[in-house]
Amino acid sequence: MSISPLKETIPKLDPPNNTSLHPPPSPSTHRTLRRLKSAHVLGSSVSQPSLISQQHKQSLNRNFSPTRKVTNPPPGAHTRTRSNSDANVMSPALSSPISRRPQMKRASPVEGSTLDRLIRDGPTEGDLERGLESMRLKILDQGVKSDGDGMSSLRIYVWLVLLNAPVLETDEYLSLIHRGASPAYSKIRNDTFRTLATDPLFRRRVSEASLIRLLNAVAWKLHDAKGERSEVQMRLTNTANIYGSPELQHATPAKGRSRATTLTNDGSDAGKSEPGTYVQGMNVLAAPFLYAARSEAEAFIAFHQFITTECPGYVRGAMDGVHKGLALVDKVLAIVDPKLSLYLIGKGMNAELYAFPSVLTLCACTPPLPEVLRLWDFLFAYGAHLNILCIVAQLVILRNSILNSPSPTKILRSFPPLQADIVKEVTLTLVKKIPDDIYAEIVIHAK
């Protein structure tokens, strides 16, 4: 989260807003990048600048939100809105300690403000804290306006703001694509073809080639960051060897070399927390970003920001954040519903057996996709760590069916269709029951 809110009271959710929706633009007119490269020719060059590159020098209008002002195109020109993925970075000075609970108390929203107005014009009088608070409350009470397929021209910009996504020039994304196959390319290709394979909405709107390009670009970005950290570590090690670190001062040369190797490799805490470039499950995590975004560049910067700031522990080789999350699912369920917890344990069912996909993908593995998007609006507004409570909320909703079933494995093999509004409402009631120390564990488990 860019600015973690503080929680004091829990509001009751108002009935869903049934106001008329603005029809979103067709994704087919907003995915020009997909025609640049196929999945098999990532490294080939482009003979002419892309449309977005030609629009690169257009004047920008950025104030708090990533919205741009686009001039009218000449007759016959392509009318696709330029990628708005280069959102302004929120001021880190407004950040609050992550161990605090999100504040969901009622507050008088900015007068006359709506989500689209907040994104377009920014907060009244430049008050970022009040603007973000108003945005969160509107997401909680009304949600992001979308059609029956979950398509919204506003959602991706709300996500970019809430994730505090940095500025990204689209040419930077294109340069990552033009580098060709990353070291993780074969692993990516092994997963992309089965990403949300049974979801007709996703398969109709997002091509496999688009998903491959995005994941390959992210893999290059993580690969470069990993190389930079290795170079910094090497320079620090060389400096220590030249001037003599305390560990080496009284050691023999052979022992000194051995100790230096241990310090920089096996015994390095940084080495243990090094993120990989791709792990299985990142394909499903990336899918909603591509579905909601109006360009691959927007999806790229939002997804990269999410996995590197919100849940880096989920994409490490050992997936330690996911396993911590699974342990917390068991722990939270034992707190909020001891009877249900004991029944599942008695059947030999802990969270590792049924909740692994839901933890890893923030419930994106549970259809339908429009409901996943609505749940993600809530998670990005108040903290992705609340996904742990959302999973427990789904168990509580299924409580009677589970307790009355002699074999709950059949019920939990695949969760019933997601109902975002009900899950959110139950989650907000569960927040009150979690002790502060357990809640602090939930907040940091994915870091």
Side-chain angles (χ1 to χ4, degrees):
M1 288 294 299
S2 57
I3 304 174
S4 299
L6 304 179
K7 174 184 176 300
E8 295 179 2
T9 60
I10 304 294
K12 180 179 179 181
L13 290 176
D14 294 331
N17 184 16
N18 295 321
T19 56
S20 59
L21 309 178
H22 297 291
S26 172
S28 61
T29 65
H30 297 306
R31 302 198 182 276
T32 306
L33 290 176
R34 290 185 181 148
R35 296 195 296 270
L36 294 177
K37 297 288 178 181
S38 72
H40 303 283
V41 290
L42 288 170
S44 61
S45 60
V46 179
S47 58
Q48 61 181 5
S50 65
L51 172 66
I52 298 177
S53 300
Q54 297 171 22
Q55 295 174 331
H56 176 64
K57 295 184 180 181
Q58 286 186 344
S59 60
L60 307 179
N61 180 19
R62 296 193 299 262
N63 180 19
F64 166 73
S65 72
T67 306
R68 299 174 180 271
K69 185 180 293 182
V70 181
T71 57
N72 293 327
H78 199 295
T79 58
R80 179 193 176 284
T81 305
R82 188 193 187 282
S83 168
N84 294 316
S85 55
D86 45 347
N88 278 346
V89 178
M90 301 286 186
S91 171
L94 296 177
S95 298
S96 58
I98 61 174
S99 60
R100 304 291 291 277
R101 301 189 188 218
Q103 182 179 4
M104 300 180 189
K105 67 178 182 178
R106 293 290 184 186
S108 57
V110 180
E111 182 178 358
S113 66
T114 59
L115 275 178
D116 54 352
R117 180 173 296 180
L118 281 169
I119 293 295
R120 184 181 67 246
D121 301 331
T124 304
E125 298 178 355
D127 190 340
L128 293 181
E129 289 191 38
R130 191 180 180 199
L132 283 170
E133 181 183 28
S134 178
M135 178 180 292
R136 291 184 175 109
L137 288 172
K138 288 185 179 300
I139 289 173
L140 187 64
D141 291 341
Q142 305 168 9
V144 177
K145 291 187 294 185
S146 59
D147 65 11
D149 291 347
M151 299 302 297
S152 168
S153 60
L154 184 65
R155 173 170 279 120
I156 187 60
Y157 305 123
V158 173
W159 288 5
L160 288 167
V161 171
L162 293 173
L163 291 172
N164 193 19
V167 173
L168 173 79
E169 298 293 343
T170 305
D171 288 343
E172 180 182 341
Y173 174 65
L174 293 175
S175 69
L176 292 170
I177 293 176
H178 298 161
R179 288 170 65 175
S182 71
Y185 182 71
S186 61
K187 294 181 180 179
I188 292 171
R189 289 301 306 274
N190 286 336
D191 288 341
T192 52
F193 72 93
R194 53 176 171 249
T195 303
L196 303 186
T198 61
D199 193 310
L201 293 177
F202 179 77
R203 304 301 293 182
R204 185 169 69 243
R205 296 181 184 273
V206 180
S207 69
E208 183 187 358
S210 179
L211 183 59
I212 291 171
R213 283 193 296 269
L214 181 138
L215 292 172
N216 193 71
V218 169
W220 273 126
K221 190 80 170 177
L222 296 177
H223 178 272
D224 293 345
K226 188 174 182 179
E228 291 173 2
R229 284 190 295 270
S230 297
E231 291 179 4
V232 171
Q233 183 66 29
M234 184 63 70
R235 287 197 296 270
L236 292 175
T237 302
N238 292 339
T239 302
N241 288 338
I242 292 172
Y243 295 101
S245 63
E247 294 87 353
L248 304 178
Q249 286 178 355
H250 303 292
T252 63
K255 292 181 180 179
R257 285 193 297 271
S258 176
R259 176 60 175 166
T261 301
T262 302
L263 287 172
T264 57
N265 295 314
D266 298 339
S268 172
D269 291 336
K272 291 180 181 178
S273 61
E274 279 290 325
T277 57
Y278 179 79
V279 296
Q280 192 173 31
M282 284 174 63
N283 55 316
V284 181
L285 268 178
F289 288 101
L290 275 171
Y291 188 85
R294 300 176 69 186
S295 74
E296 284 182 26
E298 289 176 337
F300 166 79
I301 191 59
F303 176 61
H304 180 266
Q305 178 75 358
F306 174 71
I307 63 174
T308 55
T309 61
E310 293 291 324
C311 61
Y314 285 8
V315 298
R316 297 188 187 112
M319 295 185 179
D320 52 317
V322 177
H323 293 291
K324 291 178 182 177
L326 292 168
L328 285 167
V329 170
D330 287 328
K331 189 178 294 187
V332 170
L333 182 60
I335 294 172
V336 302
D337 196 332
K339 182 177 180 180
L340 180 59
S341 174
L342 289 173
Y343 182 76
L344 289 175
I345 292 175
K347 295 292 183 178
M349 296 187 63
N350 54 27
E352 289 274 356
L353 298 178
Y354 60 83
F356 189 93
S358 296
V359 172
L360 174 60
T361 67
L362 267 72
C363 295
C365 60
T366 305
L369 187 53
E371 293 296 309
V372 172
L373 300 179
R374 283 188 271 274
L375 183 64
W376 278 27
D377 295 336
F378 166 70
L379 292 178
F380 290 165
Y382 289 100
H385 56 272
L386 289 176
N387 180 55
I388 300 300
L389 298 182
C390 290
I391 295 171
V392 175
Q394 292 175 76
L395 296 174
V396 172
I397 293 170
L398 295 172
R399 184 179 193 274
N400 291 335
S401 298
I402 294 173
L403 292 177
N404 294 328
S405 173
S407 179
T409 306
K410 297 179 180 179
I411 298 176
L412 298 179
R413 184 178 293 120
S414 61
F415 281 31
L418 191 65
Q419 297 177 291
D421 289 338
I422 297 177
V423 170
K424 287 188 295 184
E425 190 166 2
V426 175
T427 297
L428 294 179
T429 63
L430 297 182
V431 170
K432 301 177 180 179
K433 302 179 181 180
I434 309 301
D436 289 343
D437 57 336
I438 303 300
Y439 190 85
E441 290 184 41
I442 294 173
V443 171
I444 65 173
H445 80 276
K447 301 303 183 181

